[in-house]
């Protein structure tokens, strides 16, 4: 199994596709945590497996 680790990008409270960098694949809340979550990008039509250990989004964390 080939495991590639990359920094996840968040824009406007949404996780951006780690493969193409254009599609929004998941809406994030401050409490969002996930391990081995499969997300699908409608733009590049590919699946990615992501791990979210801590809040990635400053705008989602703002109260």
């Amino acid at each position: 199994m080939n495991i590639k680790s990359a920094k996840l990008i968040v824009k406007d409270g949404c996780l951006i596709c780690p493969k193409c960098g254009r599609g929004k694949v998941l809406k994030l809340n401050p409490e969002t945590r996930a391990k081995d979550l499969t997300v699908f990008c409608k733009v590049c039509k590919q699946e990615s497996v992501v791990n979210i250990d801590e809040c990635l989004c400053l705008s989602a964390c703002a109260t």
Side-chain angles (χ1 to χ4, degrees), residues 6-61:
K7 186 162 178 97
L8 299 175
I9 300 170
V10 176
K11 183 176 180 182
D12 299 327
C14 293
L15 180 64
I16 303 300
C17 176
K19 295 201 178 194
C20 72
R22 297 182 320 225
K24 294 180 181 180
V25 294
L26 183 67
K27 177 81 171 162
L28 297 176
N29 293 317
E31 300 84 23
T32 302
R33 306 288 186 271
K35 182 177 180 186
D36 298 332
L37 176 67
T38 302
V39 294
F40 178 77
C41 177
K42 294 178 185 178
V43 177
C44 69
K45 309 286 191 233
Q46 295 199 20
E47 291 183 340
S48 300
V49 177
V50 297
N51 292 312
I52 303 170
D53 295 329
E54 60 186 37
C55 182
L56 300 171
C57 178
L58 294 176
S59 63
C61 290

